[in-house]
Amino acid sequence: MTMTETAKADPRAAGETPLVELKDISIAFGGVQAVDGVSIDLHPGEVVGLLGHNGAGKSTLIKILSGAYRMDSGEIRINGQKAEIHSPRDARRYNIETIYQTLALADNLDAASNLFLGREITTALGFVDDAKQEAETRKIMARLNPNFRKLNEPVSALSGGQRQSVAIARAVYFNAKILIMDEPTAALGVHETAMVADLIKELKAQGLGIFLISHDTREMMELCDRVSVMKNGQLVGTERVEDVTEDDILSMIILGKNPKREPA
Amino acid sequence: MSDAHANPIPSTAKDDRPAPKAPAKSFLSQLEIDLRLLGMVGAFVLVCIVFNVLTDGRFLTPRNIFNLTIQTVSVAIMATGMVFIIVTRHIDLSVGALLATASAVMAMMQTRWLPDTLGLPLGHAALPWLAILAGLLAGTLIGAFQGWLVGYLTIPAFIVTLGGLLIWRNVAWYLTNGQTIGPLDETFQAFGGINGTLGATGSWIFGLIAAAAAVLALLSARRSKAAHGFPVKPIWAEAVLIGIAVVAILGFVALLNAYEVPTRVLERDFAARGLEMPEGTTASYGIPYSVLVLIAVAVVMTVIARKTRLGRYIFATGGNPDAAELSGINTRFLTVKVFAILGALVAISAVVASARLTNHSNDIGTLDELRVIAAAVIGGTALSGGIGTIYGAILGALIMQSLQSGMAMVGVDAPLQNIVVGTVLVAAVLIDIIYRRRVGGK
Ligand SMILES: Nc1ncnc2c1ncn2[C@@H]1O[C@H](COP(=O)(O)OP(=O)(O)OP(=O)(O)O)[C@@H](O)[C@H]1O
Ligand SMILES: [Mg+2]
């Protein structure tokens, strides 16, 4: 897929600088070309969905943005400026927060320690302020998941959904401008999924840009402004959700062709 | 110093339901004492009682407790560092050999190198301190180097330190040309145990200060919890804990103070100062300096583990290295730090161990790697990483040393002693696994 087509697919008014531009990103693991020349962008207050088969390269692509992997080639621009993201720490400096598919929690630590991992609140003497961290954790959890009570237990003692809410809390607690959510609702029940959907809408209303990965096409049609479909590491296409039907997206995922652009 | 300007979090919850009523708690859970700690203390008490019966009361005499204490110090100091290593999913097999190298450096420094190069006469006040400094530096640098091989060059710690086990033992040999170096400086020897103690008054003063510090620490933890509106233990539970801490500290001091310096040693001391010993003079040994060193190490290591970012990162990395990395933790440099800390502690142990022997010998620290690892593991450090406590490792070292010297007193021959210690190690890990399965978690 070429860049011109991606640009054409982007319906945004000319002149507005995208929050994030991923340009011609490629990365290979050994022989596997996990991401192959993919370009997508994200605007403030926009939710862009990433769809595709297992192994299509979705997680790998966003891990490049979150600093977990280093791309082989390509360019990342944040607010129009070329961004150097070589580590998760770099990504945090650009206010990029990520909820990883694997949740990336330290099982042996409690919710507060996980929430603040790498960004501990410290006292004047430089010691970790556990009481303050716990208080902050209580505050945010009361809003995200009011049933959450196991604050002093290692997160290994939590259910999948509770662990997910810790990961989500960590991503939204800090001053995120760009939020990456890799299958945030995979482990959640109906009620919790609805809560995450509400959360996404509200964060979007606050002007965050969100990359959302999910296999639930219907959910994606509801939450996203645009969806990008990947197959075998390549971008099949990016479309505004109002321009396509669920069937169009499914056929993009399955056939790897964009019915809107390439006549069948 | 966090710059957490929290996003205004949208409220997705309609109501804040009141917390469910807490179920009636048992006496122990109200005290909030770690069950594992209780189990280890129980095991230790059991060992003591059994040997005391078998030895007709000779095991729990002040003299034997004093000896047990000073024999435990060296391994216990290293075990606290081994906790960090094992928590981060590594291992260090080189500590015994590294102890020999550090000991050799310090012995050579104070007896040969410094006197030869700086012209300091033997017995000069600066010698022991410069020697200790050099030993600390050597231990820390070698530890950091091994950590670098593990963290940055990704050679498994098992291999790096297995190589280290061979290398450092024999580097020590070359440093000393295979000779026993001694006697060591008198001030230096004061760190060995019996040759340097606080005496009765000093020990009581120390005990009172330590007890006061413990009370303050417990109360300030409570205050900080209360300040944030968290539930705190009932007052009586807090009082019981404070009582236990104070009694334990002062009881320990009383025990060590009960061990009196034999009359002939006192006479010799007085004679050395050209004095006549007054009739009926008694003196207590009190707390050995080496034990003070261990206490200081234990406090510092516990603070690092619980209260600093470094400690948090050590445990996070052990629990989930990928998550730690994704949270922006430099796990490679962390590995260097952890090995460097153990290296420094090994050097401190080398001071204590060589001072106790009053000289440096080639075989110093032999098999210590196994004792140290066993102490950490018996103390509840999980080899799968992420779990371990400093106090556990010290208790583990104490339990092992009690077993060993208890069996020696009973007259168990050496081969059987080792068989028992080996069995206890395996059994302790089994019990730990079963315990963890019961309480849930990994
Ligand atoms: N660290 C890695 N080392 C080697 N290969 C990898 C690595 N990470 C991903 N891959 C490969 O890259 C490809 C893309 O994987 P990726 O995890 O990005 O897929 P995905 O689209 O997120 O799939 P899913 O829907 O299952 O989460 C796969 O073929 C995978 O095997
Ligand atoms: Mg994925």
Side-chain angles (χ1 to χ4, degrees):
Chain A
M1 189 72 4
T2 64
M3 277 179 57
T4 39
E5 256 164 329
T6 317
K8 241 191 294 169
D10 179 9
R12 297 259 151 187
E16 191 197 333
T17 328
L19 190 55
V20 182
E21 294 164 89
L22 298 175
K23 289 187 168 172
D24 215 12
I25 306 283
S26 295
I27 186 173
F29 296 108
V32 184
Q33 192 68 40
V35 177
D36 188 2
V38 173
S39 302
I40 50 177
D41 56 9
L42 176 70
H43 293 259
E46 186 188 34
V47 181
V48 169
L50 278 178
L51 285 148
H53 277 302
N54 293 127
K58 309 178 295 291
S59 295
T60 307
L61 177 66
I62 57 95
K63 278 186 179 172
I64 289 171
L65 179 59
S66 71
Y69 293 152
R70 287 193 193 195
M71 59 196 168
D72 296 336
S73 64
E75 190 181 76
I76 301 174
R77 288 181 165 271
I78 310 272
N79 292 319
Q81 306 278 323
K82 191 170 176 345
E84 300 290 340
I85 298 177
H86 301 301
S87 72
R89 229 168 239 284
D90 292 342
R92 285 181 167 182
R93 269 200 288 277
Y94 290 104
N95 295 311
I96 299 171
E97 294 291 333
T98 311
I99 299 159
Y100 293 98
Q101 189 169 6
T102 51
L103 297 186
L105 301 175
D107 280 338
N108 53 336
L109 302 183
D110 61 14
S113 301
N114 268 292
L115 204 156
F116 288 96
L117 190 56
R119 288 179 285 203
E120 286 73 13
I121 300 176
T122 49
T123 61
L125 293 174
F127 294 117
V128 175
D129 192 343
D130 278 307
K132 181 91 188 295
Q133 290 192 169
E134 188 180 332
E136 291 295 301
T137 307
R138 273 171 200 267
K139 260 190 247 164
I140 185 169
M141 288 318 255
R143 290 159 168 182
L144 285 177
N145 185 350
N147 298 326
F148 192 94
R149 305 237 179 276
K150 294 188 171 174
L151 272 151
N152 293 314
E153 283 174 61
V155 295
S156 60
L158 305 183
S159 75
Q162 290 168 331
R163 289 163 54 83
Q164 202 115 28
S165 46
V166 174
I168 292 174
R170 178 168 63 181
V172 296
Y173 177 82
F174 296 95
N175 203 10
K177 297 216 167 54
I178 300 155
L179 190 57
I180 301 169
M181 306 174 101
D182 195 347
E183 309 201 16
T185 57
L188 300 185
V190 186
H191 180 62
E192 288 79 7
T193 302
M195 271 169 46
V196 171
D198 287 345
L199 175 67
I200 290 174
K201 285 175 194 158
E202 302 220 32
L203 292 173
K204 170 181 154 74
Q206 288 170 21
L208 275 78
I210 301 174
F211 278 121
L212 178 63
I213 298 178
S214 168
H215 288 283
D216 183 341
T217 323
R218 184 158 308 152
E219 179 189 56
M220 294 290 259
M221 293 290 280
E222 188 204 319
L223 289 175
C224 299
D225 299 291
R226 289 183 294 147
V227 288
S228 296
V229 176
M230 289 181 69
K231 185 172 173 131
N232 298 333
Q234 296 183 326
L235 185 68
V236 177
T238 302
E239 294 295 341
R240 298 207 313 175
V241 289
E242 49 267 45
D243 297 343
V244 284
T245 63
E246 221 179 301
D247 282 346
D248 290 335
I249 294 179
L250 283 175
S251 81
M252 281 165 81
I253 295 171
I254 295 163
L255 301 173
K257 285 189 200 135
N258 188 345
K260 290 267 150 190
R261 313 281 158 192
E262 295 167 34
Chain B
M1 59 145 281
S2 172
D3 41 11
H5 304 296
N7 275 326
I9 302 304
S11 172
T12 48
K14 302 287 173 283
D15 61 335
D16 265 27
R17 285 191 288 156
K21 229 172 107 76
K25 285 184 174 174
S26 74
F27 174 74
L28 278 178
S29 70
Q30 291 216 22
L31 285 176
E32 291 177 27
I33 296 182
D34 187 10
L35 269 185
R36 177 195 306 283
L37 170 63
L38 216 59
M40 279 189 301
V41 172
F44 176 59
V45 169
L46 192 71
V47 167
C48 290
I49 290 175
V50 167
F51 280 124
N52 202 42
V53 170
L54 291 181
T55 56
D56 300 323
R58 274 184 300 135
F59 190 78
L60 287 183
T61 56
R63 173 164 180 270
N64 194 49
I65 290 173
F66 183 92
N67 285 331
L68 205 61
T69 311
I70 58 179
Q71 284 160 2
T72 307
V73 170
S74 168
V75 165
I77 289 175
M78 291 188 277
T80 64
M82 189 63 80
V83 170
F84 284 1
I85 298 279
I86 298 179
V87 162
T88 51
R89 303 189 179 187
H90 296 302
I91 195 77
D92 192 335
L93 301 174
S94 71
V95 288
L98 186 51
L99 185 141
T101 293
S103 163
V105 167
M106 291 187 291
M108 290 304 285
M109 270 289 186
Q110 58 189 284
T111 57
R112 308 275 162 83
W113 298 338
L114 286 175
D116 288 354
T117 55
L118 299 185
L120 297 177
L122 286 182
H124 190 282
L127 277 181
W129 305 106
L130 290 174
I132 290 173
L133 199 67
L136 276 175
L137 211 62
T140 311
L141 287 179
I142 293 172
F145 175 64
Q146 295 193 140
W148 176 75
L149 293 175
V150 175
Y152 283 86
L153 302 191
T154 66
I155 311 170
F158 185 90
I159 299 301
V160 168
T161 58
L162 185 60
L165 184 152
L166 292 171
I167 295 168
W168 305 120
R169 164 107 9 230
N170 294 291
V171 165
W173 194 93
Y174 275 113
L175 289 175
T176 59
N177 275 322
Q179 290 172 325
T180 296
I181 307 293
L184 299 171
D185 182 275
E186 288 220 350
T187 313
F188 189 88
Q189 283 190 26
F191 288 104
I194 198 132
N195 290 328
T197 57
L198 271 183
T201 318
S203 298
W204 281 122
I205 293 173
F206 174 81
L208 289 174
I209 293 174
V215 173
L216 273 182
L218 283 170
L219 287 181
S220 89
R222 181 188 179 84
R223 214 175 306 123
S224 141
K225 272 191 165 184
H228 285 92
F230 301 160
V232 288
K233 294 187 245 305
I235 284 283
W236 66 262
E238 203 80 63
V240 168
L241 276 189
I242 288 176
I244 291 174
V246 170
V247 168
I249 292 171
L250 296 182
F252 179 63
V253 172
L255 262 177
L256 291 182
N257 273 344
Y259 180 29
E260 293 188 346
V261 183
T263 317
R264 59 185 163 74
V265 177
L266 275 181
E267 277 169 356
R268 204 172 57 210
D269 276 5
F270 274 92
R273 278 181 274 161
L275 297 170
E276 185 76 21
M277 187 177 91
E279 198 60 32
T281 305
T282 59
S284 301
Y285 281 110
I287 304 174
Y289 295 142
S290 64
V291 172
L292 294 181
V293 172
L294 172 61
I295 291 171
V297 165
V299 169
V300 170
M301 291 293 280
T302 303
V303 168
I304 291 178
R306 298 227 171 137
K307 285 280 143 214
T308 67
R309 290 187 163 178
L310 175 63
R312 202 53 54 92
Y313 297 169
I314 287 170
F315 281 85
T317 303
N320 186 344
D322 296 332
E325 191 97 49
L326 291 173
S327 301
I329 295 167
N330 186 344
T331 52
R332 296 168 165 223
F333 189 43
L334 189 77
T335 306
V336 175
K337 287 185 200 166
V338 168
F339 275 88
I341 289 174
L342 180 55
L345 292 173
V346 167
I348 294 175
S349 283
V351 176
V352 173
S354 61
R356 195 157 84 84
L357 299 174
T358 70
N359 59 49
H360 165 84
S361 65
N362 275 318
D363 63 346
I364 193 169
T366 303
L367 288 186
D368 268 6
E369 54 282 343
L370 300 186
R371 293 192 190 103
V372 168
I373 293 169
V377 168
I378 288 177
T381 312
L383 284 166
S384 52
I387 295 171
T389 56
I390 302 299
Y391 65 72
I394 294 174
L395 258 174
L398 198 55
I399 290 172
M400 287 233 314
Q401 189 59 49
S402 318
L403 269 178
Q404 203 121 38
S405 46
M407 284 190 292
M409 283 176 83
V410 174
V412 178
D413 49 355
L416 187 56
Q417 283 183 26
N418 287 334
I419 291 173
V420 171
V421 170
T423 311
V424 166
L425 173 63
V426 176
V429 173
L430 177 64
I431 291 170
D432 201 48
I433 289 171
I434 295 171
Y435 167 78
R436 278 198 189 123
R437 211 174 285 152
R438 284 272 169 80
V439 300
K442 67 171 192 171

